[in-house]
Amino acid sequence: MLNRYTLQVAFISLLSSSAIVLILLKDQLVKTWAKSDSDFYQSPTFFPSIALGLVAISGIGLILSRLKEKGLTLDTEIQSIKPQPIVVTQLLSLFIGYILIIPWLGYFLSTLTFLTLALRITGARGKTLLFQPLAISSISYGLFVCFLEVWFPTSWLMEQFIRTSL
Amino acid sequence: MDSILENFLIGFAEVSQLSVLMCLFTGSLLGIVIGAIPGLGPAVAIAVLLPATFSMEPLAGLSLLLGIYCASWYSGAIPAILINTPGTPVAVLTTYDGYPMTRNGQAKRALSIAFTSSFVGGLISVVVLALSATLLAQVAKNFGAVEFAAATLLGMVLIIVAHRGQMYAASMMLGIGLFTSCIGLDSGTGSPRFTFGSTELLSGIPLVPVVLGIFAIAQALVLIETGLATHNKTSSPEEHNSDKGGIDWKAIREVFRYPVTLIRSSAFGVGIGVLPGVGEFLAQFLSYISARKFSKQPETFGKGNPEGLISSESANNAVTGAALVPLLALGIPGEALTAMMMNVFMVHNVIPGPRLFSQSPELIQGIYVSLLMMNFFIFAVLLSLSRWAKFVTRVRPTSLGVTILALSLIGTYSLNYELSNVWIALVFGIFGYFGRRLGLPLVPVILGMVLGPILETRLRQTLTLGDGSFMLFLERPIAAGLIIVMLLLIFSVFVSLLIKPKKMTDHSSIHDKHNQVKTEAKLG
């Protein structure tokens, strides 16, 4: 059965084995301009190798200790909270959609759409679903776009609007 | 004496600029609200606002972030005392004696004691920061590449050792941070490293999207899960009874009836806060244990003893100023929040470290005065507004989580107006979510990213000086001292793992309760 313990070991194994693969492929993944006879510490792969070595060795150590103790040290802060994989996947997909629709709808409308849908997924209904996204989008737009002057390119929708009105 | 006054006036002149004052007050007010909302924490707010501070003057930007940092440590006590839910993780021990006092109808008293203890701890930490950072910077003037490399290595070992019980995981996460800092063009040779042909990655992975991913996006997802898990739970009768607040002047005076506890706890806070990676948890833990040990009524600890409240609150607030010592004096941040603050310096081409004290003394003095002023401001605001603090504690975690997700996007985008950074934040958000869910420490990733370039450069310089030999670490006295401390630390860890002291019952019972309260707190 796939429990948290198994998942943790799988996650660490993935990170650790990725580090090993990167160490093995480092000569292909790092372009070396320096002469081949230069000292090892001048090589661009010197420090990444140390870092990846640390990941690989600690990962192996962690997996071995987990397998030995057969226990699981979960973050106690969220230990008793039931994971919500469907909600999390929905929200992450929505977030990806949010990034993608910004060039089309612009910041304000995209944020409003994202917040409405995300709050709907998380169980908000009625007035909350109506006013909260509007309030947060407006405050966020006012603060970042108007006050802090964060620049966004003209959206596709706005371009259409300008074209139509001209 | 004259020079102290002169320095204070220089700092005061810097802080009295309107932009700095505005940031100081805004940051403090934001911090109070953020600290009082359980599960949010200052890291999320600092991560979201970090890019916005890049367009500000360094002192203004730092005052904003420091305001959030300090104020949230104060106000984390509000939900800990009123609803038995720590606002910030460091307020966990505050629940032990704070909440029982609320249940006994002494919420006002508990809040006043907590704020006053925090205020004293905060003031002591500013004094220690001003004295020790200057002294350490004097010593660090003699630091060369070898000493900086040794100090950075020691910092890393401390970060790993601080995660006792999770040292393998902390090393692995530190390694991931170090590796992430290597992606992009190598500063020494100009070679592209691990960019996989992407031109966007040539300039490296910026810290801000990683911080936002790990602290904001991951935390938002966990908050939403928490909110959904507690959706149908009704609050306990005690919670309704605890809707009290305000000032109790008698309680403010009561704090000073325990001067030894106050000073000892603050000393734990500043002493441990200075050490990179060790952090406020250990300071608070040791402070509480020693307060109980030396108390005349140890049996009342955990049942509403004001001394317990004083020990935990003064210790965790004393850490705030002390945590800045390694950053300002050595340019080595000790924990995630100061690592984010280091970014504010770097963006303005101000390099923290010993030279900063001679190159920009006004900035250093400005930081001290800013910290001092914000402690007075936060204390005054909390005393006058704590009556309404209960409302902040009632924010729905799901709404909060969704809002953080939306803010993460604009926070990351505003760094350089590129959506590619948002994708990086998303990747690290997913990584952070799994890390949190699977109990892996994530702070070392950030520290690794910040310390990586420092260590790589200094290590290369050291090896070049030593012609490829590591012996320079042992030939230079300061570096040798630091390496010996590092080796002793590693040795002590191995010894403690082998011996495993049996006399842990006292400490472990607090640890168990600590974990239990944290879990219960999250479930409302």
Side-chain angles (χ1 to χ4, degrees), chain A residues 75-81, chain B residues 86 512-524:
Chain A
D75 184 355
T76 50
E77 206 178 329
I78 52 170
Q79 185 179 21
S80 312
I81 297 159
Chain B
D512 291 346
K513 195 175 175 190
H514 187 128
N515 291 338
Q516 187 195 335
V517 171
K518 269 173 107 179
T519 311
E520 284 171 0
K522 284 286 156 195
L523 287 170

Side-chain angles (χ1 to χ4, degrees), chain B residues 81-83 99-108 235-245 390 394:
Chain B
I81 290 168
L82 296 182
I83 56 171
Y99 187 60
M101 285 171 87
T102 298
R103 290 182 72 171
N104 296 334
Q106 299 174 345
K108 241 185 194 183
S235 47
S236 62
E238 287 88 3
E239 275 181 36
H240 292 294
N241 292 334
S242 68
D243 286 350
K244 291 164 192 170
K390 63 194 176 198
R394 291 179 186 165

Side-chain angles (χ1 to χ4, degrees), chain B residues 74 115-125 255-256 262 266 314:
Chain B
Y74 272 80
F115 296 152
T116 312
S117 314
S118 300
F119 177 63
V120 174
L123 287 187
I124 290 175
S125 84
V255 172
F256 299 98
L262 205 55
S266 302
S314 52

Side-chain angles (χ1 to χ4, degrees), chain A residues 8 31 44 80 84 132 151, chain B residues 191 193 225 399 413 438 519:
Chain A
Q8 193 188 38
K31 273 190 182 174
S80 312
Q84 308 275 349
Q132 208 166 309
W151 174 84
Chain B
S191 307
R193 300 190 291 192
E225 286 185 326
S399 304
Y413 174 79
L438 300 171
T519 311

Side-chain angles (χ1 to χ4, degrees), chain A residues 4 7-8 11-12 15-16 22-23 25-26 29-34 39-48 50-52 54-62 65-66 72-85 87-88 91-92 95-96 98-100 102-103 107 111 114-115 118-119 121-125 128 132 136 140 143-145 147-153, chain B residues 39 48-49 52 55-56 89 156 160 165-169 171-176 178-179 181-182 186 189-196 217 219 221-222 224-226 228-229 231 396 398-400 402-403 405-411 413-414 417 419 422-423 426 430-431 433-440 451-453 455-456 459-460 463-464 467-470 515 518-519 522-523:
Chain A
R4 283 180 185 175
L7 275 173
Q8 193 188 38
F11 188 66
I12 297 160
L15 292 174
S16 193
L22 287 172
I23 292 172
L25 295 178
K26 69 176 190 294
L29 295 170
V30 178
K31 273 190 182 174
T32 313
W33 308 125
D39 297 308
F40 70 98
Y41 52 87
Q42 299 291 7
S43 159
T45 55
F46 166 61
F47 195 71
I50 297 175
L52 289 169
L54 186 64
V55 177
I57 294 166
S58 315
I60 293 167
L62 190 55
S65 71
R66 286 285 178 274
L72 180 61
T73 37
L74 271 169
D75 184 355
T76 50
E77 206 178 329
I78 52 170
Q79 185 179 21
S80 312
I81 297 159
K82 198 182 159 197
Q84 308 275 349
V87 175
V88 168
L91 285 170
L92 286 173
F95 192 78
I96 292 170
Y98 180 31
I99 303 171
L100 293 172
I102 282 190
Y107 176 66
T111 308
F114 169 75
L115 285 169
L119 283 168
I121 289 170
T122 55
R125 298 288 183 273
T128 312
Q132 208 166 309
I136 298 167
S140 173
L143 179 70
F144 287 97
V145 181
F147 181 67
L148 294 170
E149 295 177 346
V150 174
W151 174 84
F152 279 94
Chain B
V48 170
L49 283 171
S55 57
M56 299 174 186
M156 287 182 180
I160 295 169
Q166 283 198 309
M167 281 191 283
Y168 279 126
S171 319
M172 193 174 76
M173 291 295 159
L174 189 71
I176 290 171
L178 292 174
F179 172 70
S181 77
C182 296
D186 173 27
T189 60
S191 307
R193 300 190 291 192
F194 302 98
T195 55
F196 300 95
I217 296 177
Q219 178 67 10
L221 294 173
V222 173
I224 291 166
E225 286 185 326
T226 313
L228 292 173
H231 189 63
R396 283 179 64 215
T398 46
S399 304
L400 208 59
V402 170
T403 310
L405 279 179
L407 289 176
S408 307
L409 182 132
I410 183 116
Y413 174 79
S414 62
Y417 306 156
L419 282 170
V422 187
W423 291 108
L426 183 65
I430 295 168
F431 170 77
Y433 171 75
F434 277 105
R436 277 186 68 84
R437 266 304 186 187
L438 300 171
L440 300 169
L451 296 177
L455 184 64
E456 184 175 14
L459 205 56
R460 263 189 184 154
L463 291 169
T464 308
D467 209 16
S469 162
F470 286 91
N515 291 338
K518 269 173 107 179
T519 311
K522 284 286 156 195
L523 287 170

